[in-house]
């Protein structure tokens, strides 16, 4: 039975997620898709239980009146059939309704519904543009996904379950009281109006505070995670105290919202307790007065006072539920600001997969500027024309800021060019799927980051379906196999099963780089990008794998970036960039002979490095 209800809602919908709408209601409705039947079932069951509980008070009034006037000797004979129906209603109908309501809520919705939202939100965000992740804390984004999924669940379920239950219950109760005597209904209506006024004043204000609190909580989490992620830098510069202050600033902001929220709650709680006391007094006084005048029976007074006692308990429960509802609404609104953002780089409608290419790359009149939130920026790339033949090995040369890494970022479609075309084998890369484009490009960057998983998983990330034999062969080519066999982690896993820590922190820079090289070797893409690929390696290791690089590059189109010109001097062609434009091109010997920009850079090198003065801004491959 449990499994049947647990399988009524798919937690991992297969449909490709679309951008969620920005409006609160539309956002919630977007994530309710596929879950509307169990949500509607929950609402119907909730309303049925509310009506059933109101009917119990009507039964109570009837029983009191019967007991006050009935003949004990004929009571069972006269009222027996109705008592049996009442017993069946209490013992069978109400528990069955409660069972199906509990199964729908706990088995079908509470677990599957937020998991479904997390899955949809994660799948949408994992395909967000690079700039999205560069502008936010990773921990903050993750917190928003976790908080928002639970907040949407609570918002939707409280509206359909709690609010629905309360509205039906209150209406049913007031109708029941009115049927006994319309005058007895008046205190309930006055109380309901005052109660609604109190809630309408405080709850929206609590919602606004909760939105600020959700943002402050995610900022606090983001700062703490940022410190943990960069713990090596924190310790290297002896800044533990500074990080404490950095975290405490966000904690203080969070605590301010908590204090503000709790002050409102105290006033709200006191106001509702006062209203409840006035309701009890007025209903009891009015009921006794009507009974003294013979206008009301004892059973009617029992029903009315019983409902007042029930209202007293429910009013505080509703207060907390409504406070939680608006707190969750505030969290959802905060999450919308992070989740419901358009993808800056997306697949064009009808984009087709790009098959395995030969590697012909063309840049035609390409222009690009990094968007810095509306600030005026000079173009990083302007009128770039570059034709790279299949199998050609080129080196991009220029000071930092010349546009080398930007060219790579545009080829990978981490950003979209603002003018011109970029073609791969004659296909405009803006018209093919991003995944299929990047499947054709292998990249080894200067700043290598590994997944917090096993060495095996990291290397096979290049080609998940590869055999262990192919994986080991790639590791050997990258001069990584021997040190991998000596690895062990805190849980006793060794060799290729050892985990490397977050971003590969358990390995040295050279070890991380060699695993990254093995990953690209295994991927065996027809286009290869080397962005300072050997910068983290010592001279002995670099010399050892240089021949493997030559083999890796064989038959591939290669784009190499290096400040150490000696590492790219043997390329088929060198492209010299300055301010986003090609100023020279040719072989190393040709460019040295002409005595231009490249020749000056070569002559100025100390130890084989370009004199770097400035910083190129932008993508993940930026130097």
């Amino acid at each position: 039975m449990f499994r049947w209800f647990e399988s009524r809602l798919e937690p991992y919908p297969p449909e490709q997620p679309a951008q969620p709408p920005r409006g609160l209601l539309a956002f919630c409705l977007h994530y309710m898709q596929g879950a509307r039947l169990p949500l509607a079932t929950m609402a119907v069951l909730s309303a049925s239980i509310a009506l059933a509980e109101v009917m119990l008070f009507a039964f109570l009034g009837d029983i009191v009146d019967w007991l006050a006037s009935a003949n004990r000797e004929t009571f069972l004979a006269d009222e027996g059939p109705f008592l049996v129906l009442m017993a069946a209603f209490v013992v069978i109908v109400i528990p069955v309704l409660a069972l199906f309501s509990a199964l729908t809520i706990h088995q079908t919705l509470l677990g599957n519904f937020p998991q479904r939202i997390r899955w949809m939100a994660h799948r949408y965000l994992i395909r967000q543009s690079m700039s999205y992740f560069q502008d936010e804390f990773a921990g903050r984004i993750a917190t928003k996904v976790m908080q928002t999924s639970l907040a949407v669940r609570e918002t939707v379920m409280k509206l359909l379950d709690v609010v629905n239950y309360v509205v039906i219950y209150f209406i049913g109760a007031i109708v029941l009281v009115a049927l006994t005597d319309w005058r007895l209904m008046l205190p309930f209506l006055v109380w309901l109006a005052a109660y609604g006024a109190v809630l309408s004043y405080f709850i929206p204000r609590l919602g606004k505070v909760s939105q600020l609190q959700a943002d402050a909580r995610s900022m606090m989490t983001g700062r703490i995670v940022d410190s943990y992620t960069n713990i090596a830098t924190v310790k290297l510069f002896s800044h533990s105290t500074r990080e404490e202050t950095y975290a405490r600033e966000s904690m203080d902001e969070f605590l301010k919202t908590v204090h503000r929220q709790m002050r409102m709650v105290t006033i709200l709680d006191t106001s509702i307790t006062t209203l409840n006391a006035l309701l009890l007094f007025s209903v009891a006084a009015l009921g006794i007065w009507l009974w003294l005048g013979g206008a009301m029976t004892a059973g009617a007074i029992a029903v009315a006072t019983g409902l007042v006692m029930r209202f007293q308990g429910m009013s505080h429960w509703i207060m907390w539920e409504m406070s939680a509802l608006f707190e969750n609404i505030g969290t959802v609104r905060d999450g919308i600001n992070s989740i419901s953002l358009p993808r800056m780089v997306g697949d064009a409608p009808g984009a087709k997969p790009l098959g395995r290419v030969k590697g012909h790359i063309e840049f035609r009149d390409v222009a690009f500027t990094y968007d810095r939130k509306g600030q005026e920026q000079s173009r990083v790339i302007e009128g770039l024309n570059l034709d790279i033949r299949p199998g050609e090995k080129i080196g991009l040369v220029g000071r930092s800021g010349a546009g080398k890494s930007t060219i790579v970022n545009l080829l990978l479609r981490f950003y979209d060019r603002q003018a011109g075309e970029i073609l791969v084998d004659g296909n405009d890369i803006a018209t093919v799927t991003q995944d299929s484009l990047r499947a054709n490009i292998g990249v080894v960057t200067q700043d290598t980051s590994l997944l917090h998983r096993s060495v095996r998983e990291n290397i096979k990330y290049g080609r998940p379906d590869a055999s262990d034999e192919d994986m080991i062969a790639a590791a050997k080519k990258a001069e990584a196999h021997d040190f991998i066999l000596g690895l062990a982690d805190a849980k006793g896993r060794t060799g290729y099963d050892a985990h490397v820590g977050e971003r590969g922190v358990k390995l040295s820079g050279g070890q991380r780089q060699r695993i990254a090289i093995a990953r690209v070797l295994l991927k065996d893409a027809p286009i290869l990008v080397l962005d300072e690929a050997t910068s983290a390696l010592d001279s002995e290791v670099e010399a050892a794998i240089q021949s493997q690089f030559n083999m890796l590059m064989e038959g591939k189109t290669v784009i190499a970036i290096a400040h150490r010109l000696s590492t790219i001097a043997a390329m088929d062609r060198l492209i010299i960039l300055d301010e986003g434009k090609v100023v020279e091109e040719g072989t190393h010997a040709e460019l040295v002979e002409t005595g231009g920009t490249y020749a000056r850079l070569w002559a100025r090198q100390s130890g084989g490095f370009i004199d770097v003065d400035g910083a190129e801004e932008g993508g993940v491959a930026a130097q």
Side-chain angles (χ1 to χ4, degrees):
M1 179 175 64
F2 289 123
R3 287 197 189 96
W4 189 88
F5 277 92
E6 288 163 355
S7 63
R8 292 310 90 197
L9 182 60
E10 172 56 56
Y12 306 107
E15 299 82 12
Q16 284 297 325
Q19 179 189 342
R22 299 281 296 177
L24 174 65
L25 178 60
F27 185 85
C28 291
L29 288 173
H30 172 80
Y31 283 115
M32 286 169 61
Q33 292 177 14
R36 293 180 182 177
L37 180 59
L39 287 169
T41 302
M42 177 193 68
V44 171
L45 289 170
S46 177
S48 300
I49 291 171
L51 288 173
E53 291 190 9
V54 171
M55 291 176 66
L56 287 179
F57 283 97
F59 293 161
L60 173 63
D62 289 340
I63 290 174
V64 170
D65 287 337
W66 292 342
L67 294 177
S69 60
N71 185 331
R72 289 182 176 86
E73 296 178 358
T74 62
F75 177 71
L76 290 178
D78 294 337
E79 307 296 345
F82 193 69
L83 288 173
V84 171
L85 288 175
M86 288 174 59
F89 185 80
V90 171
V91 176
I92 299 174
V93 174
I94 292 179
V96 168
L97 287 174
L99 172 63
F100 280 100
S101 177
L103 288 168
T104 302
I105 292 172
H106 298 115
Q107 271 59 56
T108 304
L109 289 169
L110 280 183
N112 292 334
F113 190 31
Q115 189 79 334
R116 183 183 180 91
I117 298 169
R118 288 186 202 107
W119 175 246
M120 294 169 69
H122 173 67
R123 290 186 72 201
Y124 179 74
L125 290 180
I126 200 71
R127 289 170 174 78
Q128 263 288 8
S129 59
M130 287 298 301
S131 59
Y132 174 85
F133 293 98
Q134 290 168 346
D135 292 337
E136 277 280 16
F137 289 119
R140 180 179 166 91
I141 297 172
T143 300
K144 293 286 180 98
V145 171
M146 297 299 109
Q147 284 185 172
T148 304
S149 62
L150 292 175
V152 170
R153 179 194 72 181
E154 292 301 300
T155 298
V156 171
M157 291 184 66
K158 285 186 189 302
L159 283 171
L160 295 178
D161 181 24
V162 175
V163 176
N164 179 46
Y165 171 87
V166 167
V167 169
I168 298 298
Y169 193 99
F170 276 13
I171 291 174
I174 290 174
V175 169
L176 178 61
V177 172
L179 290 175
T180 60
D181 193 293
W182 66 270
R183 289 169 292 185
L184 200 59
M185 177 181 67
L186 296 178
F188 285 93
L189 292 178
V190 173
W191 176 89
L192 193 59
Y195 183 68
V198 169
L199 291 185
S200 65
Y201 177 82
F202 282 101
I203 297 301
R205 286 167 173 78
L206 284 170
K208 290 179 181 178
V209 174
S210 297
Q211 184 172 350
L212 296 174
Q213 190 176 102
D215 186 63
R217 184 187 297 112
S218 60
M219 175 60 73
M220 177 176 63
T221 305
R223 287 192 174 192
I224 291 172
V225 172
D226 189 48
S227 296
Y228 295 161
T229 302
N230 296 284
I231 192 65
T233 302
V234 173
K235 291 185 178 297
L236 182 64
F237 287 91
S238 304
H239 277 325
S240 296
T241 302
R242 184 175 180 179
E243 289 304 305
E244 289 172 4
T245 303
Y246 182 63
R248 180 168 176 168
E249 289 173 357
S250 61
M251 289 181 177
D252 284 342
E253 290 301 314
F254 175 73
L255 195 57
K256 287 178 185 177
T257 65
V258 173
H259 288 159
R260 185 177 166 191
Q261 180 188 51
M262 291 301 104
R263 290 170 190 167
M264 289 187 185
V265 167
T266 298
I267 299 171
L268 177 59
D269 186 62
T270 304
S271 300
I272 290 176
T273 299
T274 303
L275 285 176
N276 289 338
L278 292 172
L279 176 63
L280 178 60
F281 170 78
S282 59
V283 168
L286 182 59
I288 292 172
W289 180 72
L290 291 172
W291 178 79
L292 289 172
M296 180 170 290
T297 65
I301 294 177
V303 170
T305 53
L307 285 171
V308 170
M309 301 301 292
R310 176 64 171 151
F311 274 29
Q312 285 190 332
M314 286 184 63
S315 62
H316 285 280
W317 172 65
I318 293 164
M319 177 192 75
W320 287 111
E321 291 294 330
M322 294 301 292
S323 297
L325 172 62
F326 276 82
E327 179 177 346
N328 284 300
I329 287 174
T331 302
V332 173
R333 289 187 187 279
D334 182 58
I336 288 172
N337 294 330
S338 294
I339 296 173
S340 298
L341 296 175
R343 292 173 180 157
M344 300 305 294
V345 178
D347 289 341
K352 296 181 179 180
L354 180 67
R356 187 173 178 86
V357 301
K358 296 179 180 178
H360 185 198
I361 302 170
E362 298 174 83
F363 288 77
R364 295 180 181 174
D365 295 318
V366 173
F368 176 76
T369 303
Y370 287 108
D371 182 11
R372 292 294 180 260
K373 296 184 179 179
Q375 298 177 10
E376 190 68 27
Q377 296 284 328
S378 59
R379 286 196 181 275
V380 179
I381 299 291
E382 181 68 64
L384 176 68
N385 287 283
L386 182 60
D387 191 338
I388 306 172
R389 297 181 298 275
E392 185 179 17
K393 284 80 176 165
I394 71 161
L396 298 181
V397 179
R399 295 183 178 87
S400 289
K404 306 182 299 298
S405 294
T406 300
I407 289 174
V408 171
N409 286 336
L410 293 177
L411 175 62
L412 289 164
R413 275 203 78 200
F414 287 164
Y415 301 89
D416 271 332
R417 79 284 180 279
Q418 284 137 6
E421 292 180 307
I422 302 175
L423 308 177
V424 174
D425 282 14
N427 298 288
D428 187 339
I429 63 171
T431 65
V432 300
T433 62
Q434 296 174 72
D435 286 347
S436 65
L437 169 67
R438 292 168 192 152
N440 279 285
I441 306 173
V443 183
V444 182
T445 64
Q446 178 181 10
D447 181 20
T448 299
S449 173
L450 300 181
L451 301 163
H452 188 5
R453 302 171 196 175
S454 68
V455 174
R456 182 189 315 278
E457 289 173 289
N458 271 285
I459 296 178
K460 284 191 175 184
Y461 213 75
R463 183 155 55 92
D465 59 349
S467 65
D468 282 355
E469 290 76 14
D470 290 338
M471 173 194 68
I472 293 171
K476 287 180 177 178
K477 290 178 182 178
E479 298 289 330
H481 179 67
D482 291 340
F483 85 76
I484 290 173
L485 293 180
L487 294 177
D489 63 25
K491 293 188 176 180
R493 294 168 294 209
T494 60
Y496 285 90
D497 294 319
H499 283 222
V500 301
E502 187 171 6
R503 297 175 61 86
V505 69
K506 294 182 180 180
L507 306 179
S508 69
Q511 289 174 329
R512 288 198 300 270
Q513 197 73 318
R514 279 180 276 172
I515 288 178
I517 291 169
R519 183 164 58 190
V520 173
L521 280 162
L522 189 62
K523 183 177 182 179
D524 193 28
I527 299 172
L528 179 64
V529 174
L530 303 174
D531 187 358
E532 294 287 350
T534 60
S535 63
L537 305 178
D538 56 50
S539 299
E540 182 179 350
V541 174
E542 181 183 8
I545 69 170
Q546 192 61 54
S547 60
Q548 303 302 336
F549 265 122
N550 294 334
M551 181 183 66
L552 169 64
M553 292 188 291
E554 187 175 346
K556 302 183 187 303
T557 302
V558 179
I559 300 175
I561 301 172
H563 283 137
R564 189 159 54 195
L565 297 183
S566 59
T567 64
I568 58 173
M571 292 288 170
D572 299 333
R573 183 163 49 118
L574 300 180
I575 308 297
I576 317 305
L577 299 167
D578 189 27
E579 297 183 352
K581 297 179 181 179
V582 177
V583 294
E584 294 178 5
E585 60 179 296
T587 65
H588 169 75
E590 290 170 348
L591 293 172
V592 170
E593 182 69 23
T594 59
T597 301
Y598 178 80
R600 290 194 297 273
L601 290 172
W602 180 261
R604 199 181 304 155
Q605 281 191 351
S606 174
F609 288 92
I610 296 176
D611 178 20
V612 179
D613 56 356
E616 178 176 340
E617 299 182 7
V620 293
Q623 303 173 62

